Amino acid sequence: MSTNVRDLRKWKSEGKRFTMLTAYDYTTARWLDQAAIPVLLVGDSLGMTMLGYPDTLSVTMEDMIRHSSAVVRGAPNALVIGDMPFMAYHATREDAVRNAGRFLQEARVHAVKMEGGGRVIEYTRELTGMGIPVMGHLGLTPTFVNQFGGYRVQGRSDEAAEQILHDARDLEEAGAFAVVLEGIPSGLGQRVTESLTVPTIGIGAGPHTDAQVLVVQDFLGLNPDHVAKYVKQYAQLGPAIEQAARQFDQDVRSGAFPSPEHEYAAGGSR
Ligand code: KIV
């Protein structure tokens, strides 16, 4: 049985912490599933990590469906969540319903994520009422980068902190099964976590959230750019890839590759 949204709430009630990682492709999803990571998010961060855009704003539903369906095929045990990209739910309620439905019907993900409070709270109520589980996302929500004037920690003033707390409670009341808290002070992460019965999943939100999420490229040391303060690199795959590529190049130039064990013999079976 794969992980489902009810498991997450149960784990919170048992005080059991858990992990979520982003995934965007079949091969990586297979390894993460094999490592028993229970929740995989096909984040719109794929705009940067997979497609090389400067932010998430250019990501389309087509991009998301293509990558999400690959992750679903690679991760039969994980709860897979599709991230609704910019403009997938911003113009009309109908867009929100249609695009969330596409995620479940075409990509076969188990739930969707949307950023922000406001109208998203009503959409959360509507979608959960139709059997489409919704994960909320508050704090440093990346599609608001222009509104925030950059990637800045949110919820630092009393007023902003109260707004995040308020939105989190409203999302839970509207039926969200979990809430991502991104780029907020640790104390606020703790307050929100203690005031919800559904789990909080933190990224740059301190140690008190019920779960932690990292972007897979950050976590594996594949990101050649700025590494944010909240990131812990659990491997250094970027330098390992560079080293392997240099060795391959050198071996081909020197004639060391291919060697006899990599050749086919005429009339042989291997
Ligand atoms: O798109 C993404 O990767 C995300 C996570 C950072 C939570 O939204």
Side-chain angles (χ1 to χ4, degrees), residues 20 22 24 41-46 56 83 113 115 135 137 142 180-182 201 203 213-215 230:
M20 177 164 94
T22 67
Y24 317 100
L41 170 69
V42 188
D44 61 356
S45 50
L46 72 78
T56 61
D83 204 1
K113 176 170 85 56
E115 292 182 7
M135 172 179 273
H137 186 168
V180 170
L181 298 175
E182 178 165 357
I201 304 180
I203 177 163
V213 54
L214 285 174
V215 168
Y230 60 79

PDB file of all heavy atoms in Angstrom, residues 20 22 24 41-46 56 83 113 115 135 137 142 180-182 201 203 213-215 230, ligand 1:
ATOM      1  N   MET A  20       9.796  14.721   3.085  1.00  0.00           N
ATOM      2  CA  MET A  20       9.309  14.891   1.709  1.00  0.00           C
ATOM      3  C   MET A  20      10.511  15.391   0.915  1.00  0.00           C
ATOM      4  O   MET A  20      11.325  16.170   1.424  1.00  0.00           O
ATOM      5  CB  MET A  20       8.174  15.915   1.684  1.00  0.00           C
ATOM      6  CG  MET A  20       7.635  16.244   0.303  1.00  0.00           C
ATOM      7  SD  MET A  20       6.021  17.093   0.382  1.00  0.00           S
ATOM      8  CE  MET A  20       6.506  18.820   0.327  1.00  0.00           C
ATOM      9  N   THR A  22      11.580  16.740  -3.239  1.00  0.00           N
ATOM     10  CA  THR A  22      11.053  16.984  -4.581  1.00  0.00           C
ATOM     11  C   THR A  22      11.618  15.905  -5.505  1.00  0.00           C
ATOM     12  O   THR A  22      12.672  15.321  -5.250  1.00  0.00           O
ATOM     13  CB  THR A  22      11.437  18.367  -5.132  1.00  0.00           C
ATOM     14  OG1 THR A  22      12.839  18.412  -5.349  1.00  0.00           O
ATOM     15  CG2 THR A  22      11.012  19.478  -4.193  1.00  0.00           C
ATOM     16  N   TYR A  24      11.430  15.000 -10.024  1.00  0.00           N
ATOM     17  CA  TYR A  24      10.899  15.497 -11.298  1.00  0.00           C
ATOM     18  C   TYR A  24      11.005  14.484 -12.425  1.00  0.00           C
ATOM     19  O   TYR A  24      10.559  14.760 -13.538  1.00  0.00           O
ATOM     20  CB  TYR A  24      11.670  16.759 -11.726  1.00  0.00           C
ATOM     21  CG  TYR A  24      11.936  17.736 -10.608  1.00  0.00           C
ATOM     22  CD1 TYR A  24      13.169  17.788  -9.989  1.00  0.00           C
ATOM     23  CD2 TYR A  24      10.937  18.598 -10.168  1.00  0.00           C
ATOM     24  CE1 TYR A  24      13.425  18.688  -8.961  1.00  0.00           C
ATOM     25  CE2 TYR A  24      11.188  19.496  -9.143  1.00  0.00           C
ATOM     26  CZ  TYR A  24      12.433  19.533  -8.537  1.00  0.00           C
ATOM     27  OH  TYR A  24      12.670  20.420  -7.526  1.00  0.00           O
ATOM     28  N   LEU A  41       7.210  15.451  -3.855  1.00  0.00           N
ATOM     29  CA  LEU A  41       6.550  16.629  -4.428  1.00  0.00           C
ATOM     30  C   LEU A  41       7.154  16.911  -5.797  1.00  0.00           C
ATOM     31  O   LEU A  41       8.369  17.117  -5.902  1.00  0.00           O
ATOM     32  CB  LEU A  41       6.767  17.841  -3.520  1.00  0.00           C
ATOM     33  CG  LEU A  41       6.334  19.186  -4.114  1.00  0.00           C
ATOM     34  CD1 LEU A  41       4.807  19.264  -4.231  1.00  0.00           C
ATOM     35  CD2 LEU A  41       6.867  20.352  -3.275  1.00  0.00           C
ATOM     36  N   VAL A  42       6.312  16.922  -6.810  1.00  0.00           N
ATOM     37  CA  VAL A  42       6.785  17.379  -8.122  1.00  0.00           C
ATOM     38  C   VAL A  42       6.581  18.889  -8.101  1.00  0.00           C
ATOM     39  O   VAL A  42       5.504  19.402  -8.416  1.00  0.00           O
ATOM     40  CB  VAL A  42       6.024  16.698  -9.274  1.00  0.00           C
ATOM     41  CG1 VAL A  42       6.683  17.055 -10.606  1.00  0.00           C
ATOM     42  CG2 VAL A  42       5.995  15.196  -9.088  1.00  0.00           C
ATOM     43  N   GLY A  43       7.612  19.575  -7.606  1.00  0.00           N
ATOM     44  CA  GLY A  43       7.508  21.010  -7.369  1.00  0.00           C
ATOM     45  C   GLY A  43       7.625  21.801  -8.660  1.00  0.00           C
ATOM     46  O   GLY A  43       8.294  21.367  -9.608  1.00  0.00           O
ATOM     47  N   ASP A  44       7.008  22.989  -8.658  1.00  0.00           N
ATOM     48  CA  ASP A  44       7.212  23.858  -9.819  1.00  0.00           C
ATOM     49  C   ASP A  44       8.644  24.415  -9.819  1.00  0.00           C
ATOM     50  O   ASP A  44       9.072  25.073 -10.769  1.00  0.00           O
ATOM     51  CB  ASP A  44       6.160  24.970  -9.907  1.00  0.00           C
ATOM     52  CG  ASP A  44       6.169  25.902  -8.710  1.00  0.00           C
ATOM     53  OD1 ASP A  44       6.935  25.651  -7.756  1.00  0.00           O
ATOM     54  OD2 ASP A  44       5.407  26.883  -8.734  1.00  0.00           O
ATOM     55  N   SER A  45       9.404  24.088  -8.766  1.00  0.00           N
ATOM     56  CA  SER A  45      10.847  24.382  -8.777  1.00  0.00           C
ATOM     57  C   SER A  45      11.521  23.685  -9.952  1.00  0.00           C
ATOM     58  O   SER A  45      12.674  23.992 -10.263  1.00  0.00           O
ATOM     59  CB  SER A  45      11.501  23.941  -7.462  1.00  0.00           C
ATOM     60  OG  SER A  45      11.148  22.615  -7.141  1.00  0.00           O
ATOM     61  N   LEU A  46      10.824  22.787 -10.615  1.00  0.00           N
ATOM     62  CA  LEU A  46      11.399  22.156 -11.812  1.00  0.00           C
ATOM     63  C   LEU A  46      11.697  23.214 -12.883  1.00  0.00           C
ATOM     64  O   LEU A  46      12.519  22.973 -13.783  1.00  0.00           O
ATOM     65  CB  LEU A  46      10.519  21.022 -12.346  1.00  0.00           C
ATOM     66  CG  LEU A  46       9.188  21.306 -13.044  1.00  0.00           C
ATOM     67  CD1 LEU A  46       9.342  21.771 -14.481  1.00  0.00           C
ATOM     68  CD2 LEU A  46       8.347  20.048 -13.017  1.00  0.00           C
ATOM     69  N   THR A  56      10.036  30.286 -10.993  1.00  0.00           N
ATOM     70  CA  THR A  56       9.016  29.273 -11.313  1.00  0.00           C
ATOM     71  C   THR A  56       7.921  29.790 -12.254  1.00  0.00           C
ATOM     72  O   THR A  56       7.029  29.031 -12.645  1.00  0.00           O
ATOM     73  CB  THR A  56       8.326  28.788 -10.009  1.00  0.00           C
ATOM     74  OG1 THR A  56       7.698  29.910  -9.385  1.00  0.00           O
ATOM     75  CG2 THR A  56       9.321  28.150  -9.063  1.00  0.00           C
ATOM     76  N   ASP A  83       2.452  20.051  -8.038  1.00  0.00           N
ATOM     77  CA  ASP A  83       2.439  21.467  -7.642  1.00  0.00           C
ATOM     78  C   ASP A  83       1.722  22.270  -8.728  1.00  0.00           C
ATOM     79  O   ASP A  83       2.175  22.308  -9.876  1.00  0.00           O
ATOM     80  CB  ASP A  83       3.904  21.909  -7.529  1.00  0.00           C
ATOM     81  CG  ASP A  83       4.107  23.087  -6.605  1.00  0.00           C
ATOM     82  OD1 ASP A  83       3.120  23.562  -6.022  1.00  0.00           O
ATOM     83  OD2 ASP A  83       5.270  23.509  -6.465  1.00  0.00           O
ATOM     84  N   LYS A 113      -0.763  20.749  -4.737  1.00  0.00           N
ATOM     85  CA  LYS A 113      -0.354  21.811  -3.812  1.00  0.00           C
ATOM     86  C   LYS A 113      -0.622  23.169  -4.462  1.00  0.00           C
ATOM     87  O   LYS A 113      -0.430  23.311  -5.676  1.00  0.00           O
ATOM     88  CB  LYS A 113       1.137  21.686  -3.473  1.00  0.00           C
ATOM     89  CG  LYS A 113       1.667  22.813  -2.600  1.00  0.00           C
ATOM     90  CD  LYS A 113       3.058  22.548  -2.077  1.00  0.00           C
ATOM     91  CE  LYS A 113       4.161  22.934  -3.011  1.00  0.00           C
ATOM     92  NZ  LYS A 113       4.149  24.343  -3.472  1.00  0.00           N
ATOM     93  N   GLU A 115      -0.097  27.575  -3.636  1.00  0.00           N
ATOM     94  CA  GLU A 115       0.568  28.567  -2.787  1.00  0.00           C
ATOM     95  C   GLU A 115      -0.394  29.666  -2.347  1.00  0.00           C
ATOM     96  O   GLU A 115      -1.208  30.142  -3.148  1.00  0.00           O
ATOM     97  CB  GLU A 115       1.714  29.231  -3.561  1.00  0.00           C
ATOM     98  CG  GLU A 115       2.871  28.308  -3.866  1.00  0.00           C
ATOM     99  CD  GLU A 115       4.008  29.024  -4.590  1.00  0.00           C
ATOM    100  OE1 GLU A 115       3.964  30.266  -4.736  1.00  0.00           O
ATOM    101  OE2 GLU A 115       4.936  28.330  -5.016  1.00  0.00           O
ATOM    102  N   MET A 135      -2.625  20.262  -0.548  1.00  0.00           N
ATOM    103  CA  MET A 135      -1.581  20.683   0.393  1.00  0.00           C
ATOM    104  C   MET A 135      -1.447  22.194   0.255  1.00  0.00           C
ATOM    105  O   MET A 135      -1.361  22.708  -0.878  1.00  0.00           O
ATOM    106  CB  MET A 135      -0.278  19.981  -0.002  1.00  0.00           C
ATOM    107  CG  MET A 135       0.951  20.443   0.738  1.00  0.00           C
ATOM    108  SD  MET A 135       2.415  19.507   0.186  1.00  0.00           S
ATOM    109  CE  MET A 135       2.312  18.114   1.293  1.00  0.00           C
ATOM    110  N   HIS A 137       0.555  25.967   1.113  1.00  0.00           N
ATOM    111  CA  HIS A 137       1.960  26.414   1.069  1.00  0.00           C
ATOM    112  C   HIS A 137       1.973  27.897   1.445  1.00  0.00           C
ATOM    113  O   HIS A 137       1.434  28.723   0.716  1.00  0.00           O
ATOM    114  CB  HIS A 137       2.507  26.184  -0.352  1.00  0.00           C
ATOM    115  CG  HIS A 137       3.973  26.470  -0.497  1.00  0.00           C
ATOM    116  ND1 HIS A 137       4.683  26.084  -1.620  1.00  0.00           N
ATOM    117  CD2 HIS A 137       4.874  27.099   0.306  1.00  0.00           C
ATOM    118  CE1 HIS A 137       5.960  26.448  -1.493  1.00  0.00           C
ATOM    119  NE2 HIS A 137       6.100  27.080  -0.340  1.00  0.00           N
ATOM    120  N   PRO A 142       7.277  30.890  -3.672  1.00  0.00           N
ATOM    121  CA  PRO A 142       8.113  31.397  -4.778  1.00  0.00           C
ATOM    122  C   PRO A 142       7.361  32.092  -5.916  1.00  0.00           C
ATOM    123  O   PRO A 142       7.946  32.950  -6.576  1.00  0.00           O
ATOM    124  CB  PRO A 142       8.817  30.133  -5.284  1.00  0.00           C
ATOM    125  CG  PRO A 142       8.872  29.241  -4.079  1.00  0.00           C
ATOM    126  CD  PRO A 142       7.571  29.483  -3.368  1.00  0.00           C
ATOM    127  N   VAL A 180       2.794  23.301   3.737  1.00  0.00           N
ATOM    128  CA  VAL A 180       4.231  23.597   3.630  1.00  0.00           C
ATOM    129  C   VAL A 180       4.470  24.990   4.187  1.00  0.00           C
ATOM    130  O   VAL A 180       3.723  25.929   3.884  1.00  0.00           O
ATOM    131  CB  VAL A 180       4.694  23.536   2.152  1.00  0.00           C
ATOM    132  CG1 VAL A 180       6.126  24.070   2.001  1.00  0.00           C
ATOM    133  CG2 VAL A 180       4.616  22.110   1.623  1.00  0.00           C
ATOM    134  N   LEU A 181       5.495  25.122   5.023  1.00  0.00           N
ATOM    135  CA  LEU A 181       5.909  26.427   5.554  1.00  0.00           C
ATOM    136  C   LEU A 181       7.311  26.694   5.044  1.00  0.00           C
ATOM    137  O   LEU A 181       8.239  25.938   5.356  1.00  0.00           O
ATOM    138  CB  LEU A 181       5.917  26.396   7.090  1.00  0.00           C
ATOM    139  CG  LEU A 181       4.565  26.122   7.759  1.00  0.00           C
ATOM    140  CD1 LEU A 181       4.748  25.995   9.262  1.00  0.00           C
ATOM    141  CD2 LEU A 181       3.557  27.225   7.420  1.00  0.00           C
ATOM    142  N   GLU A 182       7.454  27.729   4.233  1.00  0.00           N
ATOM    143  CA  GLU A 182       8.756  27.990   3.605  1.00  0.00           C
ATOM    144  C   GLU A 182       9.297  29.352   4.037  1.00  0.00           C
ATOM    145  O   GLU A 182       8.573  30.363   4.027  1.00  0.00           O
ATOM    146  CB  GLU A 182       8.597  27.955   2.078  1.00  0.00           C
ATOM    147  CG  GLU A 182       9.900  28.262   1.356  1.00  0.00           C
ATOM    148  CD  GLU A 182       9.907  27.890  -0.124  1.00  0.00           C
ATOM    149  OE1 GLU A 182       8.895  27.331  -0.610  1.00  0.00           O
ATOM    150  OE2 GLU A 182      10.921  28.152  -0.778  1.00  0.00           O
ATOM    151  N   ILE A 201       5.016  20.983   6.957  1.00  0.00           N
ATOM    152  CA  ILE A 201       6.216  20.456   6.302  1.00  0.00           C
ATOM    153  C   ILE A 201       7.111  21.661   6.038  1.00  0.00           C
ATOM    154  O   ILE A 201       6.750  22.548   5.264  1.00  0.00           O
ATOM    155  CB  ILE A 201       5.843  19.732   4.994  1.00  0.00           C
ATOM    156  CG1 ILE A 201       4.815  18.617   5.293  1.00  0.00           C
ATOM    157  CG2 ILE A 201       7.087  19.164   4.313  1.00  0.00           C
ATOM    158  CD1 ILE A 201       4.367  17.823   4.086  1.00  0.00           C
ATOM    159  N   ILE A 203      10.497  24.035   5.127  1.00  0.00           N
ATOM    160  CA  ILE A 203      11.716  24.233   4.333  1.00  0.00           C
ATOM    161  C   ILE A 203      12.205  25.628   4.699  1.00  0.00           C
ATOM    162  O   ILE A 203      11.547  26.632   4.374  1.00  0.00           O
ATOM    163  CB  ILE A 203      11.468  24.018   2.811  1.00  0.00           C
ATOM    164  CG1 ILE A 203      12.746  24.313   2.014  1.00  0.00           C
ATOM    165  CG2 ILE A 203      10.273  24.800   2.274  1.00  0.00           C
ATOM    166  CD1 ILE A 203      12.733  23.739   0.593  1.00  0.00           C
ATOM    167  N   VAL A 213      11.157  19.196   4.138  1.00  0.00           N
ATOM    168  CA  VAL A 213      11.282  18.959   2.691  1.00  0.00           C
ATOM    169  C   VAL A 213      12.528  19.681   2.191  1.00  0.00           C
ATOM    170  O   VAL A 213      12.849  20.773   2.660  1.00  0.00           O
ATOM    171  CB  VAL A 213      10.028  19.425   1.912  1.00  0.00           C
ATOM    172  CG1 VAL A 213       9.654  20.863   2.192  1.00  0.00           C
ATOM    173  CG2 VAL A 213      10.217  19.233   0.397  1.00  0.00           C
ATOM    174  N   LEU A 214      13.212  19.049   1.250  1.00  0.00           N
ATOM    175  CA  LEU A 214      14.307  19.713   0.540  1.00  0.00           C
ATOM    176  C   LEU A 214      14.132  19.482  -0.951  1.00  0.00           C
ATOM    177  O   LEU A 214      13.517  18.487  -1.374  1.00  0.00           O
ATOM    178  CB  LEU A 214      15.665  19.150   0.975  1.00  0.00           C
ATOM    179  CG  LEU A 214      16.176  19.580   2.363  1.00  0.00           C
ATOM    180  CD1 LEU A 214      17.457  18.828   2.719  1.00  0.00           C
ATOM    181  CD2 LEU A 214      16.411  21.087   2.443  1.00  0.00           C
ATOM    182  N   VAL A 215      14.669  20.403  -1.721  1.00  0.00           N
ATOM    183  CA  VAL A 215      14.703  20.241  -3.179  1.00  0.00           C
ATOM    184  C   VAL A 215      15.821  19.242  -3.492  1.00  0.00           C
ATOM    185  O   VAL A 215      16.934  19.352  -2.967  1.00  0.00           O
ATOM    186  CB  VAL A 215      14.954  21.600  -3.868  1.00  0.00           C
ATOM    187  CG1 VAL A 215      15.286  21.440  -5.338  1.00  0.00           C
ATOM    188  CG2 VAL A 215      13.740  22.507  -3.679  1.00  0.00           C
ATOM    189  N   TYR A 230      19.213  27.166   4.680  1.00  0.00           N
ATOM    190  CA  TYR A 230      18.465  26.047   5.250  1.00  0.00           C
ATOM    191  C   TYR A 230      18.831  24.698   4.650  1.00  0.00           C
ATOM    192  O   TYR A 230      18.370  23.656   5.105  1.00  0.00           O
ATOM    193  CB  TYR A 230      16.952  26.281   5.092  1.00  0.00           C
ATOM    194  CG  TYR A 230      16.497  26.427   3.658  1.00  0.00           C
ATOM    195  CD1 TYR A 230      16.337  25.304   2.853  1.00  0.00           C
ATOM    196  CD2 TYR A 230      16.248  27.677   3.112  1.00  0.00           C
ATOM    197  CE1 TYR A 230      15.940  25.424   1.540  1.00  0.00           C
ATOM    198  CE2 TYR A 230      15.851  27.803   1.798  1.00  0.00           C
ATOM    199  CZ  TYR A 230      15.696  26.684   1.019  1.00  0.00           C
ATOM    200  OH  TYR A 230      15.302  26.801  -0.292  1.00  0.00           O
TER     201      TYR A 230
HETATM  202  O1  KIV B   1       8.377  23.799  -5.901  1.00  0.00           O
HETATM  203  C1  KIV B   1       8.920  23.336  -4.880  1.00  0.00           C
HETATM  204  O2  KIV B   1       9.955  22.640  -4.933  1.00  0.00           O
HETATM  205  C2  KIV B   1       8.311  23.625  -3.604  1.00  0.00           C
HETATM  206  C3  KIV B   1       9.027  23.182  -2.361  1.00  0.00           C
HETATM  207  C4  KIV B   1      10.189  24.041  -2.095  1.00  0.00           C
HETATM  208  C5  KIV B   1       8.132  23.082  -1.195  1.00  0.00           C
HETATM  209  O3  KIV B   1       7.286  24.214  -3.559  1.00  0.00           O
END
